[in-house]
Amino acid sequence: MGPANLSFRAGSYTTVAAIGSLSAGTLQPAIVSESFSRLAAGNARVTVFHGIEDAPAVDVILADGTVLASGLAYGRSTVLNVPAGTYDIQVVPSGATSPVVLDLSGTTLNSRGYYFVAAVNRLADPGIALTVIGGNTIDGLPKGNGTIVDVAVADGRFTTLVAALQAAGLDSALRGNGPFTVFAPTDAAFAALPAGTVEALLADIPTLQSILLYHVVPGKVLSDEVVSLGGLTTLQGGSVRITVNENGVFINDAQVNITDIETYNGVIHVIDTVLIP
């Protein structure tokens, strides 16, 4: 396969695969457009790609005969949005229920999971190439806009928070795998503290660490889950209270102004007040 001229749309997500046979001279690029738009809790998205050159068009069905996708030809893909759960999936020739080309019984799709499933090899020995995107990594590589700290630095509204994390020695932890949920006070929130408070905290590292960890929750808790909870336990050890009323969503007395800034290792929700344990 010689050089290929490929075009990509800005802001799109694309998988490029080499399909065909090198020995037969049929090797060619296949471009698969994928969607990583946000999924509701309880749902999963599967991109299915047909990469078996000598196989006919296929249907993707459940063992009970339910058709998930039909007429998928070689070199083509389709996107399935399905409820999370465990499925007995089969790939069969289009319009038939046998023979079963691939048996994927017991396939588990997790909530808010993104899956890329490619049928590969030859019809006599078919196989599966699978990529699972569980919200944070693609085969162990970072996805998205960087870590929580990277995003906070780039945003520009969290310079005091970032400086405090660095002074407390917590910035490296929030660059780790996580995932973490951070209720992030803006610079304006820190400026609203009594005069001298920030300077005093920067000189009292144990207290600063305690306050900062009170803003961090283990796990990735998106807004639709936050509003369904009465409270959350923080990495500081204490709990924050969640209130939802006609005025908005509040973490203790801090109002949540912006939600679901997703990062490689978690999510940021922006709040207007510094939380004090």
Side-chain angles (χ1 to χ4, degrees):
M1 182 175 69
N5 295 318
L6 306 177
S7 298
F8 303 100
R9 188 178 72 255
S12 65
Y13 297 88
T14 304
T15 295
V16 179
I19 60 174
S21 169
L22 181 61
S23 60
T26 58
L27 203 61
Q28 61 180 303
I31 300 175
V32 183
S33 296
E34 298 191 67
S35 172
F36 295 110
S37 59
R38 185 179 169 201
L39 286 166
N43 291 317
R45 180 170 296 141
V46 185
T47 300
V48 181
F49 175 72
H50 183 340
I52 301 179
E53 185 179 18
D54 62 342
V58 297
D59 294 345
V60 181
I61 66 172
L62 299 181
D64 64 4
T66 301
V67 177
L68 300 179
S70 61
L72 187 61
Y74 170 65
R76 304 299 296 272
S77 65
T78 189
V79 177
L80 308 176
N81 293 298
V82 296
T86 299
Y87 295 88
D88 292 329
I89 299 174
Q90 298 176 343
V91 178
V92 296
S94 187
T97 57
S98 65
V100 176
V101 178
L102 285 168
D103 187 348
L104 305 177
S105 296
T107 297
T108 297
L109 305 176
N110 294 321
S111 176
R112 289 201 173 107
Y114 298 83
Y115 301 82
F116 180 87
V117 181
V120 296
N121 299 340
R122 308 291 290 178
L123 185 57
D125 183 28
I128 286 291
L130 171 66
T131 297
V132 180
I133 306 167
N136 295 323
T137 60
I138 302 177
D139 285 345
L141 299 177
K143 176 181 82 73
N145 299 318
T147 68
I148 286 169
V149 176
D150 296 330
V151 171
V153 170
D155 186 282
R157 289 172 293 181
F158 307 106
T159 56
T160 306
L161 175 62
V162 171
L165 289 169
Q166 292 170 339
L170 296 176
D171 57 317
S172 59
L174 290 181
R175 293 184 193 272
N177 287 331
F180 306 103
T181 297
V182 175
F183 296 100
T186 60
D187 290 340
F190 279 100
L193 292 171
T197 299
V198 172
E199 292 75 12
L201 288 173
L202 291 173
D204 183 356
I205 297 304
T207 300
L208 178 62
Q209 290 175 333
S210 177
I211 289 175
L212 292 173
L213 290 174
Y214 192 60
H215 292 76
V216 183
V217 172
K220 185 176 182 179
V221 188
L222 294 171
S223 59
D224 57 354
E225 184 177 357
V226 169
V227 298
S228 70
L229 301 171
L232 286 165
T233 301
T234 71
L235 289 183
Q236 184 263 355
S239 296
V240 292
R241 181 182 68 258
I242 299 171
T243 304
V244 181
N245 58 37
E246 65 275 10
N247 296 316
V249 179
F250 295 83
I251 308 299
N252 291 351
D253 295 324
Q255 185 165 12
V256 180
N257 291 330
I258 300 173
T259 63
D260 296 338
I261 302 175
E262 296 192 58
T263 73
Y264 150 57
N265 62 343
V267 63
I268 297 171
H269 305 299
V270 182
I271 57 176
D272 67 355
T273 304
V274 177
L275 303 174
I276 304 297

